[in-house]
């Protein structure tokens, strides 16, 4: 891990203004994020000053590929200068890079910005997303907690009041059943649960007030206090009573929702803009905070990624920090939120001059900020087997939903899979 004294951090922060050649830094992200967010941000940053030029390496395919590329770069000493790493995979990466002195502790850089700067821009909960073992290895860039999108027209047709969204799981499942009764061509609901990654499974754990991993990130904890069993009971209930389909892929169900043939859609606010563009004027599209069991303790796993600095060159560290300050600052977060719908990670974005007035006028896009205090950790497993663990766990959850395995047996299998494959 590369560490700074406060004095050296301040000196480095000023390094980019010195009269010398432009400093070029190269960052890594994944393909979808590069074209949607990073290219506009990179162009704006490069145009606003002439001391630093930001470039992006060939993008990774997805978060998992980003993780593998960074581990390979660490082994071959070919890491980029900075990167954007998924929150659930950051702990294992940061610990590995720290042992080799290949990742920067950004705490001293933050402190060098002056008194009050941290509090003005970032909440403790947001900074915790990039804090591993008490060290600020990552700065929160993208953040999203699951939310509901819903078809208010189908609510009305089913005799439901779209202005009074269900306040608990019983009410939500009742609404899904009423929508399901509208016809064979209508699907009641979709929730990210056995698709893609374990974000949906972690949602069912955290919204009970549970946790995925122990404090040191080395032991599974999702089974504690019966949370895994209750999560599996809810997964089965969503299938049996709520009509959540296991035999249709996400793309087919997304088409059904955007065509007006599905009532409820549970997924990230990152797709809010795309969703609105796909729906157009076909129906009354709305969004709402996600359902939780424990209102006092319930959290939602925060998807997204943190910016990290992986160069060991002091001049490039200073340049990368300037860029990271921009993309996680009020202007950078405004651009990102407007393009995607992501929850802004910078407090100042809620001011009127940034997005405060927009959120007030467009409640559809304001749902993420209503869940700011629900943002919890999206955990990962030690080592590089998180994707394999999830593939096996997804098969177990599917079996529970389809009645081939009991919730109790499924919960035990989920724990056994993780413990067998993770590296401690």
């Amino acid at each position: 891990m590369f560490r700074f004294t406060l004095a050296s951090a301040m000196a480095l922060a000023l390094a980019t203004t010195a009269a010398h050649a432009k400093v070029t830094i190269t960052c890594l992200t994944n393909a979808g994020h590069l074209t949607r967010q990073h290219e506009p941000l990179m162009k704006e940053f490069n145009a606003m000053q002439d001391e630093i030029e930001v470039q992006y390496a060939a993008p990774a395919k997805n978060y998992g590929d980003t993780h593998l590329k960074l581990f390979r770069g660490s082994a071959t000493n070919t890491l980029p200068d900075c990167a954007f790493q998924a929150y659930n995979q950051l702990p294992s990466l940061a610990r590995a890079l720290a042992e080799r002195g290949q990742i920067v502790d950004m705490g001293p850089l933050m402190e060098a910005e002056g008194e009050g700067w941290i509090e003005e821009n970032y909440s403790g909960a947001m900074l915790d997303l990039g804090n591993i073992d008490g060290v600020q290895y990552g700065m929160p860039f993208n953040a999203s907690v699951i939310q509901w999108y819903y078809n208010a027209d189908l609510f009305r047709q089913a005799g439901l009041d779209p202005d009074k969204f269900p306040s608990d799981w019983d009410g939500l499942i009742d609404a899904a059943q009423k929508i399901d009764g509208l016809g064979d061509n209508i699907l009641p609901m979709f929730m990210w649960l056995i698709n893609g990654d374990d974000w949906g499974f972690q949602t069912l754990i955290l919204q009970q007030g549970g946790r995925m991993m122990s404090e040191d990130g080395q032991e599974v904890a999702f089974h504690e206090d019966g949370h895994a069993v209750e999560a599996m009971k809810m997964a089965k209930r969503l299938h049996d009573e709520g009509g959540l389909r296991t035999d249709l892929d996400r793309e087919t169900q997304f088409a059904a929702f955007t065509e007006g043939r599905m009532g409820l859609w549970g997924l990230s606010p990152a797709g809010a803009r795309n969703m609105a563009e796909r729906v157009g004027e076909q129906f009354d599209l709305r969004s709402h905070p996600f359902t939780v069991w424990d209102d006092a303790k319930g959290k939602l796993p925060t998807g997204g990624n943190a910016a990290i600095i992986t160069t060991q060159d002091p001049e490039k560290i200073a340049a990368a920090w300037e860029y990271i300050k921009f993309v996680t600052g009020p202007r950078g977060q405004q651009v990102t939120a407007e393009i995607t719908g992501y929850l802004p990670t910078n407090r100042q974005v809620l001011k009127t001059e940034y997005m405060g007035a927009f959120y007030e006028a467009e409640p559809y896009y304001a749902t993420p900020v209503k869940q700011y205090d629900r943002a919890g950790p999206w955990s990962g497993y030690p080592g590089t087997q998180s994707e394999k663990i999830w593939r096996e766990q997804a098969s177990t959850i599917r079996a529970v939903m389809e009645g081939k395995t009991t919730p109790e047996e499924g919960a035990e299998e989920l724990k056994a899979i993780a413990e067998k494959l993770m590296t401690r």
Side-chain angles (χ1 to χ4, degrees):
M1 176 180 61
F2 198 106
R3 289 188 177 274
F4 292 89
T5 65
L6 182 58
S8 64
M10 294 177 68
L12 286 173
L14 296 172
T16 56
T17 64
H20 54 60
K22 181 180 292 188
V23 178
T24 300
I25 58 170
T26 301
C27 297
L28 175 68
T29 189
N30 66 55
H33 284 179
L34 177 62
T35 54
R36 293 177 65 198
Q37 305 170 76
H38 289 286
E39 286 185 349
L41 288 168
M42 174 184 65
K43 290 177 181 177
E44 183 166 332
F45 180 80
N46 286 344
M48 65 187 276
Q49 48 75 48
D50 56 11
E51 292 88 17
I52 303 167
E53 181 177 0
V54 178
Q55 300 176 349
Y56 273 85
K61 292 182 292 186
N62 49 41
Y63 280 145
D65 191 33
T66 299
H67 194 56
L68 293 175
K69 282 181 179 292
L70 290 171
F71 264 107
R72 286 196 295 267
S74 171
T76 58
N77 202 30
T78 56
L79 284 165
D81 300 312
C82 63
F84 293 82
Q85 171 75 327
Y87 295 124
N88 66 323
Q89 296 168 332
L90 180 59
S92 61
L93 177 77
R95 291 178 180 125
L97 296 187
E99 288 183 1
R100 302 166 189 166
Q102 296 174 321
I103 188 168
V104 171
D105 172 5
M106 287 188 272
L109 292 172
M110 296 167 63
E111 293 172 2
E113 293 298 323
E115 184 178 356
W117 181 84
I118 296 173
E119 293 76 13
E120 183 182 15
N121 288 281
Y122 310 100
S123 71
M126 279 295 165
L127 289 177
D128 282 348
L129 297 174
N131 192 297
I132 312 300
D133 303 329
V135 181
Q136 198 69 46
Y137 291 120
M139 291 295 289
F141 172 62
N142 287 146
S144 64
V145 293
I146 191 170
Q147 66 181 37
W148 290 115
Y149 300 87
Y150 66 104
N151 184 327
D153 291 349
L154 289 183
F155 265 58
R156 295 186 187 94
Q157 292 174 34
L160 300 162
D161 185 348
D163 296 324
K164 296 179 180 179
F165 193 87
S167 60
D168 56 27
W169 282 104
D170 289 339
L172 186 120
I173 289 174
D174 178 69
Q177 290 176 338
K178 286 183 169 63
I179 292 168
D180 195 26
L182 293 175
D184 293 340
N185 67 323
I186 300 297
L187 296 175
M189 69 172 298
F190 170 88
M191 175 186 162
W192 187 266
L193 188 53
I194 55 173
N195 313 79
D197 52 44
D198 65 352
W199 198 46
F201 168 56
Q202 294 202 28
T203 294
L204 293 185
I205 298 295
L206 269 66
Q207 54 111 23
Q208 301 178 61
R211 60 178 185 165
M212 287 296 295
M213 302 295 291
S214 60
E215 288 295 332
D216 64 2
Q218 301 302 301
E219 304 283 345
V220 297
F222 56 75
H223 62 289
E224 294 174 346
D225 299 323
H227 289 139
V229 173
E230 292 303 317
M232 291 303 93
K233 287 180 179 178
M234 177 54 72
K236 181 166 175 54
R237 192 178 174 198
L238 288 169
H239 176 269
D240 294 350
E241 301 175 43
L244 179 58
R245 301 282 290 269
T246 59
D247 59 336
L248 297 176
D249 61 29
R250 175 182 174 274
E251 288 69 28
T252 300
Q253 297 187 73
F254 183 67
F257 184 84
T258 56
E259 292 167 4
R261 296 185 291 105
M262 180 184 284
L264 293 148
W265 181 268
L267 202 58
S268 167
R273 179 71 63 181
N274 181 49
M275 180 78 78
E277 291 173 352
R278 285 283 293 269
V279 170
E281 301 297 322
Q282 295 182 81
F283 61 85
D284 183 1
L285 173 65
R286 302 189 188 183
S287 66
H288 193 274
F290 199 75
T291 317
V292 296
W293 288 339
D294 190 322
D295 187 60
K297 299 179 181 178
K299 297 290 185 181
L300 298 170
T302 308
N305 58 84
I308 63 174
I309 300 176
T310 46
T311 181
Q312 298 174 61
D313 180 321
E315 191 172 59
K316 290 193 173 186
I317 290 171
W321 175 240
E322 291 300 314
Y323 183 54
I324 289 171
K325 280 195 301 180
F326 170 71
V327 299
T328 67
R331 173 56 185 165
Q333 285 299 293
Q334 178 186 13
V335 171
T336 293
E338 288 176 345
I339 290 173
T340 64
Y342 268 122
L343 169 64
T345 62
N346 190 290
R347 282 175 160 168
Q348 294 196 58
V349 178
L350 300 183
K351 293 180 178 178
T352 301
E353 61 265 35
Y354 291 107
M355 295 194 72
F358 173 78
Y359 283 143
E360 186 174 350
E362 299 284 348
Y364 167 75
Y365 290 101
T367 293
V369 299
K370 296 177 182 177
Q371 302 193 107
Y372 199 92
D373 293 334
R374 290 279 186 215
W378 182 21
S379 301
Y381 299 103
T384 60
Q385 298 299 305
S386 289
E387 285 196 70
K388 181 175 175 57
I389 290 171
W390 171 241
R391 286 197 299 271
E392 295 195 17
Q393 288 179 330
S395 296
T396 296
I397 296 173
R398 181 188 295 273
V400 170
M401 295 172 72
E402 295 174 348
K404 298 173 182 176
T405 301
T406 68
E408 292 78 10
E409 291 169 339
E412 285 299 317
E413 286 184 21
L414 295 175
K415 179 173 178 286
I417 290 166
E419 291 182 336
K420 175 185 175 182
L421 294 175
M422 73 182 191
T423 302
R424 302 187 185 187

